[in-house]
Amino acid sequence: MTQDVERVARHNEQRQREYESSDLIRLLTDENTPAETKKAVLTYLQPWSNAFQRMISARVTFESDPELRALACEHQQEEVGHDRILARSRADDRDLVWDPVIEMGASWFVDQFAILPGVQRAVLAHLALEAGSLVFSQAGTRAFPDDEYFELHDEADVEHLEMGYDILRRRGDWTVEAVIDVLDRAWQVIGVVSDRIAECARRDTVAA
């Protein structure tokens, strides 16, 4: 079992490294990116952050395993209100945008939390969403020093990521193949949404 967890961890860490090279992360960490373009990222991050609250609520709603439901509830409690913190960070940009790609990506995650087996739900939440959030938050702290939203996530996401590996160590009702499959799909969706956020941020600032 230990070898299986290590195999999943190596695979997921490779996906994290690939995400570090994504257009969105490079946009945030590039010193030559205009400040207004980086700020526009937050505009398109907001609907994703709002949708994240739906994702973690769906996980709680559809989880019936006592151990996994307790973990899901703990995760939800620690994430509640983070969308409002982001809204405060972009207080001078009140309009909430709607984008079909971001919404479809969010809907895919909500759907998966409804239909996946319990351990795979935990994998989706902690090893994909939280791992992606950690990479994004580390880039965000460079782009927006002292920002409350990114400081909070940079600290919390490490703990939330480890929760996923801890579940895999304690449970036997999963296979490496199934976990890697759901991870690969999740990272593809995260990549599509992230590319769209970068695209929209650049498009809006060029138009302006």
Side-chain angles (χ1 to χ4, degrees):
M1 184 59 68
T2 299
Q3 290 181 337
D4 288 344
V5 176
E6 290 175 353
R7 181 179 167 191
V8 170
R10 286 195 301 271
H11 187 85
N12 205 42
E13 287 163 3
Q14 175 61 33
R15 292 291 175 265
Q16 287 178 262
R17 287 192 293 271
E18 291 170 0
Y19 186 48
E20 288 172 355
S21 300
S22 69
D23 193 28
L24 178 60
I25 302 304
R26 287 187 286 109
L27 181 156
L28 289 172
T29 55
D30 187 349
E31 295 181 356
N32 295 318
T33 300
E36 58 269 24
T37 303
K38 293 182 180 181
K39 185 178 178 182
V41 166
L42 303 185
T43 300
Y44 288 92
L45 177 63
Q46 187 71 61
W48 179 257
S49 181
N50 294 352
F52 186 80
Q53 298 295 317
R54 299 200 304 272
M55 298 176 206
I56 58 176
S57 294
R59 180 188 175 196
V60 171
T61 297
F62 291 102
E63 186 54 74
S64 58
D65 180 285
E67 179 184 27
L68 296 175
R69 181 174 173 80
L71 179 64
C73 289
E74 179 185 352
H75 187 209
Q76 183 183 40
Q77 290 168 0
E78 294 178 358
E79 293 286 349
V80 166
H82 288 195
D83 54 329
R84 294 192 297 273
I85 294 173
L86 175 60
R88 287 201 301 269
S89 293
R90 43 179 293 274
D92 59 340
D93 181 18
R94 293 291 184 180
D95 291 339
L96 180 62
V97 298
W98 184 90
D99 181 81
V101 176
I102 297 171
E103 291 299 326
M104 285 189 287
S107 294
W108 182 86
F109 275 99
V110 171
D111 185 55
Q112 295 305 299
F113 281 124
I115 65 175
L116 285 176
V119 171
Q120 291 184 38
R121 287 194 189 103
V123 165
L124 198 66
H126 296 282
L127 302 189
L129 284 171
E130 290 293 351
S133 179
L134 177 60
V135 173
F136 180 79
S137 296
Q138 289 171 340
T141 56
R142 292 176 59 181
F144 304 98
D146 303 320
D147 183 279
E148 179 185 10
Y149 178 82
F150 289 107
E151 284 187 344
L152 173 65
H153 277 262
D154 198 20
E155 297 171 0
D157 290 343
V158 173
E159 177 185 350
H160 291 163
L161 173 60
E162 184 55 34
M163 286 178 176
Y165 291 121
D166 189 49
I167 279 292
L168 293 183
R169 294 185 192 101
R170 297 205 310 268
R171 306 280 296 214
D173 51 337
W174 61 279
T175 66
V176 172
E177 292 74 21
V179 165
I180 286 179
D181 184 55
V182 75
L183 279 173
D184 283 345
R185 294 182 184 186
W187 279 110
Q188 287 182 65
V189 176
I190 290 170
V192 168
V193 171
S194 296
D195 287 348
R196 180 62 173 176
I197 291 173
E199 176 191 352
C200 290
R202 287 197 173 99
R203 178 199 65 198
D204 287 5
T205 50
V206 167

